[in-house]
Amino acid sequence: MKAAPSPEEIRRHNLGTLLRHVHLSGPASRAELAERMGLNRSTIMALTSDLTAAGLVSEELPRTTGRAGRPSLVVRPESDRVYVLALDVGADRLTVARVGLGGVVLDRRNAPRPPDPFDPEEVVSVLADLARGLVRRARPDTVCVGIGVAFSGIVRQEDGVVRFSPNLGWKDVPFGAELGRRLGLGLRVSVGNDANLGALAERERGAGVGLDDLIYLHGDVGIGGGVIVGGRLLGGEGGYGGEVGHMVVNPGGRLCGCGSRGCLEAEAGELALIAAAGRDGLTGREAVAAIVDAADRGDVTARDALHRVGGWLGYGVANLVNIFNPAMVVFGGVLREIYLGSAAQIRSRLALSGLGAARERVRLRTSELGDEATLMGAAELAFADVFAAPLETLARGKNPLP
């Protein structure tokens, strides 16, 4: 029989829960927090006092009040003082940001992807240099409490090993450990699949707030998917669930980077669109945006390319809706632009191939977080330890580098 939690464990849990509320939902009064958490006001006052003393939140009088009597203090996250490093390793660019409590991007740097081959050592070097530069620019009174990375590949999350990334050519690379060593901050580097983290970010801060069943489809060079079922990310036995980009939709179709043929990403991804539009030699978000723009201006080849790719994407969406019955499917990365240019084909295929009961209430949406979805997911991954043990994690945090 599991032992009942100790008073200290209950206190730690409540501190993390309160901090998470203001982190995700913004400033809230003590009275609002008491109602959300089901605690009395004296307990909330004790929790906010501890968090304020630690420098994780601040309290102030409300700017306006419509009630008589003593107003309830408003609790705000200390966004400028407590932050994480969020890194996004995409197939065409590298991004590093300082993200403060509350999800505020305080500073960021982008770099184009290194030229082929996509060498792990060079990628780690670029990311470490960018990240250390951001830490040095931070104020002396700030504290870094975590490091999170969104990576476009199959990741073993417990140790940050990239098991396989077909579009980058990586296999069994100890990415998290090497990046942590090069950063030299003494903090654990948490690495997650970019689409999984994008799904979590859209549920916490974007199009899917409050939804327990959500699928996020992320397009980079390939296609990844994050599947949330019953409020929890679908991980699978080894933590590698959600690789929907390698669901076969066209047996014998285009060759995929994974070695198979006719995968969803091979038929409906960035490279498939570029090839169908006859724009070989171009890559990246700009190429996709140019094709969508050309289609909008009447270019028949660009329009037909979008319709073809949209049809295959619709097959994939129909399969996912039939299997998972989500409340929403969110299109992010370059799939956001592809969806906007081929929504009719996607919806038509879903209507033809989706089971009526499964699709009747599903909503198809573009990412509200846009290009920030995976980066914000990386930030949430880095903040996880803070919400598990706020005071202890803050004590282990690091001040800016000399």
Side-chain angles (χ1 to χ4, degrees), residues 176-392:
E178 183 59 22
L179 180 58
R181 186 186 69 80
R182 291 292 295 271
L183 281 172
L185 293 175
L187 295 171
R188 178 170 63 94
V189 176
S190 300
V191 187
N193 172 265
D194 57 354
N196 285 343
L197 296 181
L200 293 173
E202 287 292 339
R203 182 174 184 260
E204 300 290 6
R205 297 186 177 278
V209 169
L211 298 180
D212 285 339
D213 296 277
L214 166 78
I215 295 175
Y216 171 77
L217 297 177
H218 184 75
D220 204 332
V221 171
I223 292 177
V227 182
I228 294 176
V229 178
R232 298 176 65 88
L233 185 68
L234 182 68
E237 193 278 331
Y240 310 130
E243 286 295 325
V244 303
H246 300 290
M247 167 177 53
V248 175
V249 295
N250 182 22
R254 286 170 53 87
L255 181 65
C256 181
C258 72
S260 184
R261 285 189 175 273
C263 293
L264 180 63
E265 76 172 46
E267 301 293 345
E270 170 190 311
L271 298 181
L273 176 64
I274 291 170
R279 302 197 180 203
D280 292 334
L282 301 177
T283 58
R285 301 160 192 262
E286 292 77 13
V288 173
I291 293 169
V292 174
D293 180 63
D296 288 342
R297 290 185 285 106
D299 185 307
V300 175
T301 302
R303 184 192 63 202
D304 289 348
L306 275 169
H307 290 181
R308 174 182 172 80
V309 166
W312 290 120
L313 187 55
Y315 271 116
V317 170
N319 286 337
L320 293 170
V321 168
N322 289 344
I323 295 168
F324 295 108
N325 185 210
M328 181 180 291
V329 178
V330 181
F331 299 87
V334 297
L335 288 186
R336 183 178 187 275
E337 283 69 38
I338 291 175
Y339 173 78
L340 291 173
S342 60
Q345 286 68 41
I346 295 171
R347 291 180 177 276
S348 175
R349 179 51 57 191
L350 175 60
L352 289 171
S353 303
L355 295 171
R359 63 175 164 78
E360 63 185 0
R361 296 174 61 182
V362 68
R363 289 168 282 170
L364 306 184
R365 297 288 187 270
T366 56
S367 166
E368 284 190 12
L369 299 175
D371 290 343
E372 301 289 278
T374 51
L375 185 71
M376 296 309 296
E380 294 305 320
L381 183 63
F383 275 123
D385 287 345
V386 181
F387 303 130
L391 305 185
E392 295 84 348

Side-chain angles (χ1 to χ4, degrees), residues 9-23:
E9 289 172 330
I10 294 173
R11 172 177 170 272
R12 185 184 301 117
H13 169 78
N14 286 338
L15 286 168
T17 300
L18 191 155
L19 184 61
R20 184 171 175 80
H21 274 300
V22 296
H23 170 72

